[in-house]
Amino acid sequence: KQEVTQIPAALSVPEGENLVLNCSFTDSAIYNLQWFRQDPGKGLTSLLLIQSSQREQTSGRLNASLDKSSGRSTLYIAASQPGDSATYLCAVSGDKIIFGKGTRLHILP
Amino acid sequence: DAGVIQSPRHEVTEMGQEVTLRCKPISGHNSLFWYRQTMMRGLELLIYFNNNVPIDDSGMPEDRFSAKMPNASFSTLKIQPSEPRDSAVYFCASSFGQGASYGYTFGSGTRLTVV
């Protein structure tokens, strides 16, 4: 049974710092992994999608990596801004699509 | 494209009443997913459809929950009778390809409160 874990559950960092969010999964037989952002009371916004054959994807200040063999993905945020404050979730797509419980990020001005 | 559209945005109902949540997927997407989000359990997949056919409904909690997709542009999730423990945010998502091969787009969700 696929399990997706995100550590830490919450993170506070000063503005301007680079940071890394982690996602681990137990079954490496996945089609893809997707990172989402969720603002309080809102839906999920897709940030990056990494297919199983890919190692990383980049969009602006965001970079996501995927290591299927070790069951890990990271989301790197460069030069963090207060507007980056949100909950970040990863989802792995295999036989089913399973979400982690997210990392609640707070960027301190 | 207006994205995935869900209605209503908020629903407050009394225990025992029937609740119907609605979703319009993105035009051209052939997979549709219903999720439930709570603080305790996070995001849980309830059911997903491909080409209007239910593929996996193993996440539907019990017989009080049912979902339909009568055509490619509309789906409903019904709870009858509703209970306080059904209170959650219900999301609909759509994608192109089976198993979200190309990633998902989520709707804004329906916040359901059962009192």
Side-chain angles (χ1 to χ4, degrees), chain B residues 38-103:
Chain B
T38 60
M39 288 291 293
M40 289 295 293
R41 300 172 71 95
L43 268 164
E44 302 173 280
L45 177 64
L46 300 177
I47 185 170
Y48 89 88
F49 296 84
N50 182 252
N51 294 324
N52 311 338
V53 176
I55 302 299
D56 185 348
D57 65 354
S58 59
M60 296 286 264
E62 47 198 276
D63 292 345
R64 297 185 297 106
F65 286 68
S66 62
K68 294 182 179 179
M69 191 163 186
N71 57 61
S73 59
F74 184 66
S75 177
T76 59
L77 178 68
K78 186 178 292 187
I79 308 172
Q80 165 64 18
S82 57
E83 297 182 2
R85 61 191 168 122
D86 302 330
S87 298
V89 181
Y90 291 81
F91 287 103
C92 174
S94 70
S95 72
F96 178 73
Q98 189 166 357
S101 307
Y102 299 93

Side-chain angles (χ1 to χ4, degrees), chain B residues 4 6 13 15 19 28 33 70-71 75 77 83 85 89 94 99 105 108 110-111 113:
Chain B
V4 177
Q6 291 187 246
T13 190
M15 182 174 63
V19 175
F33 308 81
N71 57 61
S75 177
L77 178 68
E83 297 182 2
R85 61 191 168 122
V89 181
S94 70
T105 301
S108 297
T110 294
R111 182 174 297 276
T113 303

Side-chain angles (χ1 to χ4, degrees), chain A:
Chain A
K1 177 187 171 187
Q2 178 73 273
E3 293 182 2
V4 180
T5 304
Q6 291 188 246
I7 295 173
L11 181 64
S12 292
V13 299
E15 179 179 3
E17 284 197 5
N18 303 326
L19 59 98
V20 175
L21 306 181
N22 298 293
C23 173
S24 62
F25 47 96
T26 54
D27 185 351
S28 61
I30 65 171
Y31 298 123
N32 58 57
L33 184 145
Q34 193 166 0
W35 281 93
F36 292 87
R37 168 187 174 137
Q38 185 174 29
D39 293 286
K42 305 289 187 182
L44 279 71
T45 301
S46 178
L47 298 173
L48 291 163
L49 171 69
I50 312 176
Q51 299 293 350
S52 63
S53 58
Q54 297 174 324
R55 299 282 295 181
E56 65 177 341
Q57 284 286 332
T58 298
S59 176
R61 294 183 295 108
L62 305 179
N63 175 276
S65 68
L66 174 64
D67 184 341
K68 263 183 44 174
S69 60
S70 66
R72 292 181 183 176
S73 176
T74 61
L75 179 66
Y76 175 82
I77 303 177
S80 58
Q81 303 170 358
D84 296 329
S85 298
T87 297
Y88 292 80
L89 298 104
C90 68
V92 297
S93 180
D95 290 341
K96 297 188 178 188
I97 301 98
I98 307 294
F99 277 81
K101 292 194 174 178
T103 294
R104 195 167 56 257
L105 177 63
H106 181 49
I107 305 300
L108 305 167

